[in-house]
Amino acid sequence: MSEFAIKLAQFEERCRQAGFALTVQRRVVYEAMLQRDDHPTVDQVCETVQERLPEVSRATVYRTLEALVELGVIRRAHHAGTAVRFDSNIHHHHHLICTQCQRIVDFDDARLEGLPMPEPATTGFRVDDYSIHVSGLCADCQAAPSPSSGSEAAPAAP
Amino acid sequence: MSEFAIKLAQFEERCRQAGFALTVQRRVVYEAMLQRDDHPTVDQVCETVQERLPEVSRATVYRTLEALVELGVIRRAHHAGTAVRFDSNIHHHHHLICTQCQRIVDFDDARLEGLPMPEPATTGFRVDDYSIHVSGLCADCQAAPSPSSGSEAAPAAP
DNA sequence: GTCTTTGCAAATTGTTTGCAGAAAT
DNA sequence: ATTTCTGCAAACAATTTGCAAAGAC
């Protein structure tokens, strides 16, 4: 059984567990995600999906991707929210990102300097710089009883 | 001379060098950026700015932030483009990001596992996971003729 | 048959742009 | 005086939502 088929089976299993209807669209959107090794935008997913199912509407792709995130079979490539953010710190530094309130805080750590980078020969990439994104919960959100906004899904155990 | 004042002076110096007019709005937007240690969205910058200069329009803040990026005194918090992206790889992994075409490619490297993380006692953050964002130029963009201007045009579409 | 999901189109939200007047050099 | 900015409002882009019809269970 291929890796691909295994993932599809797991996906279907999860849908059943979560009481999500197993629609053609969902399967095709998930397959489209599995095919792509980059981190596609919704539009790119739409394109791939519409090669097989030209009828699918963008709205469905949006909803389906969100559903897949809820099911835990895909992730948003960090930074929720659609707004661009800016940083007045122009030096090499790293980030702490609160997964609940989306706060981003800079940090520095000498132990994280000079890390080994992937070889250009292997990846084809010419490496210029790197930064480390640490995800977790900020002090405030640890203290807070539960998310004030019910927008984010619970980790596990429905 | 405070760190703050030094940065402001550098900013004014750069404006002069680049032939950018030194307007109140630009100074106030830059000061707003310096005040904030998170990575504010345009809206958040607007709020801070409007505490001092209620007249400032959102459009100006957008243009000014862009100007500040051009001047090199602030940065966009990783990856331009306003579209959300998704990733079918739900495991711990890292990213290679092409600064020219915005392509994102996953990678893994055992040498980058188990890195020391900032102490919760110091940062207040409870660390859950981390990923490394490596920026550089992908093979295609290294091969491609350099873009006509310093901006991010649309090179080879995916 | 019942409940969920889809597709459409319209509403939101985030970002960019044209232009006349205001400000900077 | 000249050139660059700003503010407004309207264009544009990305995302979300209400609702009737279609599909899954």
Side-chain angles (χ1 to χ4, degrees), chain A residues 77-100:
Chain A
H78 343 78
H79 85 328
T82 71
V84 175
R85 287 165 180 268
F86 294 86
D87 187 359
S88 63
N89 185 346
I90 55 177
H91 307 109
H92 173 92
H93 64 277
H94 310 298
H95 299 114
L96 289 163
I97 302 161
C98 179
T99 50
Q100 192 165 301

Side-chain angles (χ1 to χ4, degrees), chain A:
Chain A
M1 206 185 200
S2 71
E3 172 91 9
F4 189 87
I6 292 173
K7 290 201 165 187
L8 264 180
Q10 286 176 345
F11 158 66
E12 300 190 0
E13 176 57 20
R14 293 228 185 182
C15 279
R16 253 170 238 116
Q17 282 178 356
F20 278 51
L22 208 47
T23 66
V24 197
Q25 289 89 337
R26 284 185 178 156
R27 217 178 322 239
V28 174
V29 168
Y30 184 50
E31 285 181 34
M33 283 299 305
L34 289 179
Q35 280 178 233
R36 301 197 68 126
D37 59 329
D38 54 352
H39 292 214
T41 62
V42 174
D43 249 45
Q44 291 173 319
V45 176
C46 266
E47 259 177 58
T48 305
V49 163
Q50 289 173 342
E51 284 168 18
R52 308 234 173 116
L53 229 61
E55 305 289 284
V56 176
S57 81
R58 220 169 308 271
T60 297
V61 174
Y62 274 99
R63 280 184 288 219
T64 302
L65 287 169
E66 177 123 357
L68 296 180
V69 170
E70 245 183 272
L71 287 173
V73 297
I74 69 170
R75 293 203 277 194
R76 303 177 94 99
H78 343 78
H79 85 328
T82 71
V84 175
R85 287 165 180 268
F86 294 86
D87 187 359
S88 63
N89 185 346
I90 55 177
H91 307 109
H92 173 92
H93 64 277
H94 310 298
H95 299 114
L96 289 163
I97 302 161
C98 179
T99 50
Q100 192 165 301
C101 69
Q102 313 302 325
R103 179 182 313 198
I104 305 177
V105 175
D106 292 354
F107 78 98
D108 254 308
D109 193 324
R111 298 170 303 173
L112 298 175
E113 297 316 304
L115 296 181
M117 285 291 118
E119 287 305 319
T122 322
T123 61
F125 262 77
R126 187 196 75 198
V127 172
D128 291 335
D129 193 13
Y130 67 88
S131 79
I132 300 179
H133 294 215
V134 177
S135 57
L137 272 193
C138 72
D140 290 355
C141 288
Q142 285 174 67
S146 79
S148 38
S149 61
S151 53
E152 208 58 7

